[in-house]
Amino acid sequence: MTCFWLAELAFSLLMYVVLDGFDLGVGVLSGFAGDTQRRDVMVASISPVWDGNGTWLVIAGATLFGAFPDVYALLLPAFYLPLAGMLIGLIARGVAIEFRHKTVRGRWIWNVCFFAGSLLAAFMQGAAVGAYAQGLPVQNMEFVGTGLEWATPFSLWCGLSLVLGYGLLGAGWLALKTEGDVQAFGYVAIGRLLWMTLLAEAVVFATTIVSHPQVAARWHEHRALYVLPVAGLLASLGIAYGHRNHALRLSFCMTVLLFAVSFLALAASFLPYIVPFSVTLREAAAPASSQTFMFWGAGLFVMPMVVGYTWVAYRVFRGKVDAAHTYH
């Protein structure tokens, strides 16, 4: 049952990173939109789905709390500040999306909130991931650090890397969902962000391997893991090919694949630890009775319901958006 909940946690996190990632990326790119009409179309492209995308973060948090409560209790004090920053950013962008179309003279304020909130949320998520990958000071299943472990150069670089990655996802979404000027904007952004994202990700991967002998040993011991970077390289080539040939759906799908491969590489680097080099899955798992009890509710009904709702939402709101279909 522990493997089931680990798979559900990983799936929820990956869904959040991909789905909320592209709408956070659109928010970051909105800061470079240049004019109101273009920004209106960018907001319209995510308006039917942005709030539902955040559901996956709730699912991941609830799964962590129920199935791995010791990890939840350990990570929360370690990430108070980045989590607070992320929530402030998510709240700011949510309010901005709802309020910006209700005013004319003050719209610039909400435009700034939409951009800054998206940037802050994305950056703080990346910084938290960087701190997690570095390893946290843990004694007797308790966090004993200062709470500033996320503020290292490596973690801040991870924050920047995730902003770039989300921007790439957002650019792919805009190119796929819009037409005319906004589609051209997204198309140009893909070309500019792809290589910056790959460089940033390569630095993160190399630094992790060099600074953690345990990770290097795991990759050396399990040679099959090298399939993941090869798949990431092929996905990158697929993005570049789709961009060059205006195959925008291929470009976006390959970007999603790149994120999925990067996520799996991160997880595979640290297993069987759920908190790197401190807490294993077996040590962190809730009692079997608790996991079974959760399965009959969250596992059997809630997850399929959220998957179904997500599929319906994207099915109903498929197709292109334009200036005539702005958020209201």
Side-chain angles (χ1 to χ4, degrees):
M1 190 61 73
T2 299
C3 292
F4 170 83
W5 287 112
L6 178 64
E8 179 159 322
L9 176 62
F11 179 73
S12 301
L13 286 172
L14 181 58
M15 289 293 288
Y16 174 77
V17 166
V18 170
L19 297 182
D20 211 35
F22 77 71
D23 70 55
L24 285 171
V26 169
V28 171
L29 292 175
S30 73
F32 306 92
D35 63 75
T36 298
Q37 185 175 9
R38 184 186 290 174
R39 190 175 288 108
D40 287 345
V41 175
M42 294 170 74
V43 174
S45 74
I46 64 170
S47 61
V49 295
W50 73 270
D51 47 356
N53 291 342
T55 303
W56 291 101
L57 185 62
V58 178
I59 295 292
T63 301
L64 188 65
F65 177 80
F68 305 100
D70 289 338
V71 176
Y72 184 92
L74 192 155
L75 294 182
L76 196 61
F79 297 141
Y80 274 141
L81 290 177
L83 287 177
M86 181 189 74
L87 291 175
I88 290 170
L90 293 176
I91 291 169
R93 73 188 302 269
V95 172
I97 290 173
E98 297 294 339
F99 282 20
R100 63 180 300 278
H101 66 287
K102 295 293 187 181
T103 182
V104 176
R105 288 185 300 175
R107 181 170 294 185
W108 69 271
I109 298 174
W110 302 114
N111 289 339
V112 170
C113 287
F114 181 51
F115 164 70
S118 301
L119 180 64
L120 179 63
F123 181 80
M124 286 302 183
Q125 288 176 21
V129 171
Y132 172 86
Q134 288 181 135
L136 299 171
V138 178
Q139 290 181 6
N140 300 320
M141 296 293 288
E142 292 185 359
F143 174 69
V144 294
T146 63
L148 294 176
E149 284 72 18
W150 61 274
T152 65
F154 175 76
S155 296
L156 298 179
W157 180 263
C158 289
L160 174 62
S161 300
L162 195 61
V163 170
L164 293 172
Y166 280 174
L168 180 61
L169 269 173
W173 178 258
L174 290 176
L176 185 65
K177 289 289 289 183
T178 63
E179 297 177 316
D181 182 53
V182 179
Q183 185 181 60
F185 174 85
Y187 179 81
V188 171
I190 292 173
R192 292 178 177 176
L193 288 170
L194 173 58
W195 306 113
M196 289 191 289
T197 301
L198 292 177
L199 175 61
E201 189 170 327
V203 171
V204 170
F205 181 76
T207 302
T208 302
I209 292 290
V210 170
S211 60
H212 293 302
Q214 302 97 318
V215 174
R218 179 167 175 79
W219 280 78
H220 181 75
E221 181 180 352
H222 302 277
R223 299 297 177 87
L225 292 178
Y226 285 101
V227 171
L228 295 174
V230 171
L233 177 60
L234 293 176
S236 303
L237 294 174
I239 298 169
Y241 175 85
H243 180 259
R244 173 171 295 184
N245 293 278
H246 291 265
L248 302 177
R249 186 176 298 276
L250 173 66
S251 212
F252 181 73
C253 290
M254 289 296 100
T255 305
V256 172
L257 178 60
L258 178 62
F259 264 77
V261 167
S262 301
F263 180 86
L264 291 174
L266 176 68
S269 295
F270 297 117
L271 286 175
Y273 293 96
I274 191 169
V275 177
F277 318 122
S278 300
V279 182
T280 65
L281 284 169
R282 187 179 298 275
E283 293 171 339
S289 57
S290 298
Q291 295 186 43
T292 302
F293 177 80
M294 283 179 58
F295 172 79
W296 295 109
L300 201 58
F301 295 104
V302 175
M303 176 61 78
M305 182 175 64
V306 175
V307 171
Y309 159 80
T310 302
W311 182 84
V312 169
Y314 281 87
R315 178 72 178 172
V316 169
F317 294 103
R318 67 187 183 278
K320 300 283 188 176
V321 298
D322 55 38
H325 298 87
T326 55
Y327 187 76
H328 61 276

